[in-house]
Amino acid sequence: MTYNFDEVIERRNTQSSKWDNVGVRVGNAQALPMWVADTDFPCPKPVVDAVTARAMHPVYGYSFIVPEFYDATIRWMKKQNNWDVKKEWITFATGVVPVMNTMIQEYTEEGDEVIVQQPVYHPFGFAIRDNNRVLSNNELIYKDGHYEMDFEDLERRARSPRAKLMILCNPHNPVGRVWTDEELRRVGAICRDNGVILVSDEIHSDLIFSGNRHIPIATLEESFGENTVTCIAPSKTFNCAGLRGSGLIIPNQEIKKRLESRFQRNRSIQQSIFALPAYVAAYTECDDYLEQLLPYLEENVAFVDAFLRDHMPKIRLVKPEATYLLWLDCRELGLTPDGVADFFINRCLVAVSRGDGFGPAGGQFVRLNIGCPRSTVKQALEQIYANYQKL
């Protein structure tokens, strides 16, 4: 099937957080929504068909995990990453963020340290602080427009007796890095050798751009797999986040058993009746959708990069290796973090995600979602340019 990603789909008045709640979440209801990480593209037809078929049955009672869930996960991991996942490693979750909270609750105590690499997806920090744990920030190094890991600092933090857990983001949201074999091996070894369990958020791992390759850290060494909870979901790839279905791959059966037990005690394991049909359809029938989506996203990235270089050189794109979330370096605008947010949201009327929400070092950056028709990207850039000239 051929998909038309240029099609503009009206999302207002559909209970869309991105479009209908932008005023509450970003502060200006008139701003063009390019913030939260869902796209404005239609779900693949097989996903829509699967959900529609289930909706046609008039009874929406409780559901359970069907064998197709495991088969679909195994198929997708083999296809995407050549990873031979075993059924007994797999479990269901209603989302990656609940997994972060549950792992923190099960494997750490109040006052323990959880390592993250800011600037990073802000719910990591919420999960740590909401559970009265300590955020240990192994801050990424920004050098020559590129982000790298600080391994000396990571090793020091992992050696702390209070460090019990690390949350890795691969590919990284928002800086767009796809971590290399060498980088992942160093992270895996540091965590393993210091008794720090690794939770790897790989939810963007299908959205890899040309010249890069996603590597699940658990595949590099058996000892890494025994120390890692790998989180995947079709939500970003196939734009079905609202259906609340994710997969976890956990080779270590003791870790898996404890996590599932905590899910049960929290009564947080029950899935939506639409989650499994969508999940299975996405991972078994939608290869063509992803094949068409990736070049479209790469063209959007190139469009933004060229526009900034030609018209707004003081705003620099941190070139992404994956994802439809762009990290823009706005330091040369000479504005405070509040000033940067005000410029985009209130003056340009483009609803971006504030950079300081991802960590203190992100204060003069913003995150821009280009998972939308190119006409929307163009509109946003033109609105920004009109006000850029007035600075």
Side-chain angles (χ1 to χ4, degrees):
M1 178 176 176
T2 300
Y3 291 93
N4 178 15
F5 298 112
D6 282 322
E7 180 186 4
V8 176
I9 298 174
E10 179 58 68
R11 296 187 62 192
R12 294 181 180 88
N13 301 314
T14 63
Q15 298 180 359
S16 162
S17 180
K18 182 178 185 179
W19 285 84
D20 295 330
N21 204 34
V22 63
V24 173
R25 296 300 301 273
V26 179
N28 192 323
Q30 304 305 312
L32 182 66
M34 303 187 74
W35 59 291
V36 71
D38 68 15
T39 74
D40 293 326
F41 303 133
C43 286
K45 188 176 184 299
V47 172
V48 176
D49 290 346
V51 172
T52 302
R54 182 60 191 85
M56 291 300 292
H57 190 287
V59 180
Y60 302 155
Y62 294 113
S63 60
F64 69 103
I65 304 300
V66 293
E68 290 84 357
F69 164 75
Y70 302 101
D71 296 341
T73 304
I74 291 168
R75 175 196 180 272
W76 193 251
M77 288 297 98
K78 180 65 174 179
K79 172 188 173 294
Q80 290 296 102
N81 305 302
N82 198 30
W83 186 8
D84 292 312
V85 170
K86 297 179 180 179
K87 177 182 176 181
E88 58 265 28
W89 298 353
I90 305 169
T91 196
F92 176 86
T94 56
V96 173
V97 172
V99 175
M100 308 300 172
N101 284 271
T102 307
M103 285 295 295
I104 287 169
Q105 293 163 7
E106 183 62 27
Y107 281 96
T108 70
E109 303 290 340
E110 290 194 9
D112 282 347
E113 297 164 1
V114 180
I115 302 170
V116 298
Q117 296 175 311
Q118 292 182 331
V120 75
Y121 183 50
H122 41 283
F124 291 4
F126 297 159
I128 295 165
R129 297 188 182 99
D130 289 349
N131 287 287
N132 297 316
R133 274 57 168 180
V134 177
L135 189 153
S136 179
N137 181 22
N138 171 228
E139 188 170 303
L140 297 177
I141 299 170
Y142 184 51
K143 182 179 179 182
D144 299 327
H146 181 80
Y147 280 89
E148 299 175 355
M149 293 190 192
D150 186 339
F151 290 105
E152 290 185 8
D153 180 71
L154 176 58
E155 191 152 16
R156 179 181 64 80
R157 291 178 182 279
R159 283 199 304 265
S160 167
R162 301 307 299 268
K164 303 295 176 59
L165 203 69
M166 176 176 178
I167 306 175
L168 175 72
C169 199
N170 181 35
H172 194 283
N173 170 14
V175 308
R177 277 299 316 276
V178 175
W179 303 116
T180 64
D181 182 296
E182 180 182 357
E183 290 168 322
L184 292 171
R185 287 184 184 277
R186 293 185 71 176
V187 171
I190 289 170
C191 288
R192 177 199 61 200
D193 295 346
N194 289 280
V196 174
I197 295 174
L198 188 61
V199 180
S200 185
D201 175 5
E202 303 187 10
I203 198 169
H204 291 275
S205 61
D206 299 324
L207 302 173
I208 306 297
F209 296 150
S210 303
N212 301 283
R213 180 172 70 94
H214 173 70
I215 304 171
I217 191 169
T219 65
L220 290 174
E221 290 190 21
E222 184 177 351
S223 62
F224 296 170
E226 287 292 312
N227 193 49
T228 301
V229 174
T230 301
C231 307
I232 64 167
S235 53
K236 306 305 179 188
T237 310
F238 303 109
N239 200 28
C240 53
L243 294 175
R244 311 300 298 160
S246 302
L248 307 179
I249 302 170
I250 314 171
N252 186 315
Q253 294 302 289
E254 179 59 29
I255 293 177
K256 181 172 181 282
K257 181 179 177 181
R258 284 183 60 178
L259 177 60
E260 290 176 335
S261 176
R262 175 67 71 162
F263 277 148
Q264 190 65 37
R265 281 176 282 149
N266 288 348
R267 298 296 185 264
S268 61
I269 196 64
Q270 185 64 51
Q271 69 276 8
S272 157
I273 200 159
F274 300 111
L276 290 178
Y279 184 105
V280 171
Y283 281 165
T284 58
E285 301 179 59
C286 299
D287 299 9
D288 57 343
Y289 182 94
L290 180 57
E291 290 168 2
Q292 296 171 57
L293 175 64
L294 282 172
Y296 191 88
L297 291 177
E298 290 200 63
E299 289 165 8
N300 271 1
V301 172
F303 183 81
V304 172
D305 191 30
F307 194 101
L308 293 178
R309 290 177 182 275
D310 292 344
H311 302 292
M312 296 184 282
K314 291 184 179 181
I315 301 175
R316 297 184 179 182
L317 172 64
V318 178
K319 197 68 179 292
E321 297 167 349
T323 92
Y324 51 76
L325 303 169
L326 302 188
W327 191 235
L328 303 183
D329 180 351
C330 306
R331 293 176 300 169
E332 288 192 26
L333 295 180
L335 302 173
T336 65
D338 284 342
V340 171
D342 179 71
F343 170 72
F344 282 93
I345 296 169
N346 297 318
R347 295 172 63 179
C348 303
L349 295 181
V350 175
V352 295
S353 297
R354 289 183 60 133
D356 51 8
F358 300 90
Q364 292 175 296
F365 293 73
V366 297
R367 191 186 75 176
L368 182 77
N369 180 347
I370 51 89
C372 55
R374 193 150 307 125
S375 60
T376 306
V377 176
K378 184 173 184 290
Q379 178 185 344
L381 291 173
E382 288 176 347
Q383 289 177 201
I384 296 168
Y385 179 56
N387 289 275
Y388 177 91
Q389 297 179 88
K390 301 174 185 176
L391 289 173

